Amino acid sequence: LSLGKGSALVLTGSSNINGQVTGTATSGLTIQGSTALGSSGDIDGLALTITEKGSLNAGSADLALTALSSKGSIIGKDAIVTLKGETDSTVTGALYGTGTLSHGHGLGTLTVGPMSKSSGWNLINKGKMLIDLSDNSDISLNSLTLADNSTTTLRLGSSAIASPLSLGSLTIGTDTALTLQVTDSTLVDAGNYTVATITGSTTGSLSDLALTLSGEAFYRLDKENTYLFTDSNGNLVLHAERYDRNPLLPAATTENAQAGAELLWNAKPTSHGDVESAYVAIADMVAAGNAEGAAEAMAAVAGSSIASMGMALSGDVERQLRAIRNRTTTMGVNQCEVNEGMPYVNAWIN
């Protein structure tokens, strides 16, 4: 069966595919029920959607898809699912049995998780991938391969980084990038945190893995001395270091710059990330030796903070004056009357 450009096929109930279903990047197959591939069954060159109540028993088939959206179940017996399209794909359902899910060099991002269940599958990233553990659901993989020049984001929900990711083995290619992203805002303190438990071996060098820390939880970490290593049990561990003193102060050559440095150092993380962005940008200036630029930026931070506090004070004074006027008016006091006791009225109102 060949699906033409822009066409769609929806399978409901129980069905079997004993031949080849092909299509284009703009054609799609949707599985809403239970579908099984026979010994000669194949799905190739189209977008596959599996709904929440749908399931695909792929057996040992080798599927080549332009995109995949799976909220249901994929059951394999050494199945191979290769994504080679330019659009994003998501797998948030379950992976049962054994198989390999491989994401190619396309422009799209493959998001794996949060998942209801996974075990016995191999995950290969040759492009861009997001492994989402933000709901702390377990993802267990037979192996994870971060191929050459790939970019992977590991999203965690807890700043304790008690990662529920379990791997049989890990393979790291050259010039790979890994971003650790934490969704809550509780600051990560100095210490060692397990990123993934690995029961087997790790192939490749962690020195080929460019590490980026993303999220408010990593605010104010000494990122030059924060790194990944494998412990005595073979697990992948993040060693985190925090500054023991304000690293911005050496570049704060004026009183205004010192005020800005202290404001940034002692400020709590914000939901919109402005404080963190300013801190990181100025810290980068200090690290690069641009002390003059850093001092000017810190002075600007202090100036904007003072201006904001002045505006807040002015607004509060206006609010209190309005409260006095409204209160005295309701008491029947003539607004034109000047009374020596009026300054004390505000204390009574508040």
Side-chain angles (χ1 to χ4, degrees), residues 43-237:
I43 302 173
D44 183 71
L46 50 72
L48 175 63
T49 299
I50 304 174
T51 62
E52 190 171 354
K53 294 182 179 181
S55 67
L56 172 65
N57 190 335
S60 58
D62 188 348
L63 311 181
L65 307 174
T66 58
L68 172 63
S69 174
S70 177
K71 296 181 180 180
S73 303
I74 301 177
I75 306 156
K77 188 176 181 180
D78 297 329
I80 299 175
V81 180
T82 302
L83 304 177
K84 57 181 181 179
E86 303 296 321
T87 57
D88 293 342
S89 295
T90 58
V91 177
T92 57
L95 296 173
Y96 293 111
T98 58
T100 298
L101 177 59
S102 178
H103 182 52
H105 294 282
L107 298 177
T109 298
L110 169 62
T111 299
V112 179
M115 298 183 70
S116 57
K117 179 68 176 179
S118 68
S119 62
W121 279 67
N122 306 303
L123 191 58
I124 300 174
N125 181 25
K126 298 179 182 179
K128 292 181 289 186
M129 181 180 294
L130 166 63
I131 302 175
D132 192 348
L133 303 167
S134 59
D135 68 341
N136 295 318
S137 62
D138 294 338
I139 290 185
S140 177
L141 298 171
N142 185 56
S143 69
L144 174 63
T145 298
L146 309 180
D148 297 350
N149 303 304
S150 63
T151 300
T152 306
T153 297
L154 182 60
R155 179 181 293 163
L156 305 172
S158 169
S159 60
I161 318 184
S163 174
L165 179 63
S166 176
L167 305 175
S169 64
L170 173 65
T171 300
I172 303 170
T174 59
D175 297 324
T176 56
L178 175 65
T179 297
L180 291 182
Q181 185 181 84
V182 173
T183 56
D184 77 4
S185 59
T186 304
L187 294 183
V188 172
D189 209 342
N192 294 327
Y193 302 91
T194 300
V195 173
T197 57
I198 303 174
T199 58
S201 62
T202 296
T203 304
S205 174
L206 289 175
S207 62
D208 289 324
L209 194 63
L211 177 64
T212 301
L213 304 177
S214 173
E216 298 171 13
F218 297 117
Y219 177 47
R220 288 204 301 263
L221 277 187
D222 182 356
K223 295 180 180 179
E224 289 186 0
N225 293 307
T226 296
Y227 54 87
L228 290 170
F229 71 97
T230 52
D231 64 11
S232 58
N233 295 318
N235 298 325
L236 186 63
V237 178

